[in-house]
Amino acid sequence: MQLIGAADASEHWNRALLVAAAGAFALVCELFFIAVVRGTAGLALLPADAIPPRALWIGHLVVAMSLVTLMAALGKLLEEPYEPVSAHTAWMLGIGIGGFGLASGAAHLLSGTARRWVTASLIAAPMVLVGLWIRLATESLSASSLGWLLAASAVLAGVLGTWSLGGLRSRTKGAPQS
């Protein structure tokens, strides 16, 4: 909803808006896949019953705050996709994507699985590194490219995390592998 409202508020409907909106939509789709379809409580690629419910609740809270921050910043990009990205918006993008990656990685560390350090690192690292890059390279990145950069970090985290977990598998324990 944030992205639609921001695109509607944009003064110019042009190529820059189309590219920024497509990148933002790709990011939302990938986050949905790794957090909802293949995750638990919004935590990327986390199997059901992997961590205690109280830790799951805290992780869900952190992920929700990170995604609200990320979507608000993406909304700002869509309002003015032809303008330079402000330092404030870059901070919000970095904190949003980095917070999501860190919360998901922390949940995997708490899971107690055999490869938890590898999985946590492979999920968190792409998002945290892209968040830092966005903040440090604000002047050299266009608003229309940021959505695609964020989407690429989510895809990379999803692919690496899925590889670390042994491929696409069911979210429930004891279910047959898919």
Side-chain angles (χ1 to χ4, degrees):
M1 294 303 296
Q2 176 73 30
L3 301 177
I4 292 168
D8 183 49
S10 182
E11 294 178 14
H12 305 287
W13 283 57
N14 56 18
R15 183 179 180 277
L17 176 61
L18 176 64
V19 171
F25 185 70
L27 172 64
V28 170
C29 289
E30 179 59 21
L31 290 176
F32 178 80
F33 181 74
I34 65 175
V36 177
V37 174
R38 289 289 173 192
T40 300
L43 295 158
L45 303 174
L46 187 69
D49 300 328
I51 61 174
R54 289 185 180 167
L56 194 62
W57 180 82
I58 293 169
H60 177 72
L61 179 65
V62 173
V63 163
M65 291 187 305
S66 297
L67 292 177
V68 166
T69 302
L70 182 61
M71 292 305 133
L74 283 174
K76 186 66 176 164
L77 290 179
L78 292 185
E79 284 178 10
E80 301 170 345
Y82 43 84
E83 295 292 328
V85 179
S86 71
H88 180 262
T89 301
W91 271 110
M92 289 177 61
L93 290 168
I95 289 169
I97 197 72
F100 178 84
L102 288 174
S104 295
H108 281 275
L109 286 177
L110 293 174
S111 71
T113 59
R115 295 176 48 110
R116 66 180 179 256
W117 285 97
V118 173
T119 303
S121 299
L122 292 175
I123 290 171
M127 295 182 188
V128 170
L129 292 174
V130 164
L132 288 171
W133 184 24
I134 288 171
R135 178 55 199 115
L136 297 175
T138 303
E139 292 81 27
S140 63
L141 297 171
S142 69
S144 59
S145 69
L146 286 177
W148 287 104
L149 182 61
L150 291 163
S153 74
V155 168
L156 185 58
V159 168
L160 293 174
T162 299
W163 169 79
S164 174
L165 291 168
L168 290 179
R169 61 188 175 130
S170 177
R171 291 175 40 200
T172 58
K173 290 183 179 178
Q177 300 253 344
S178 53

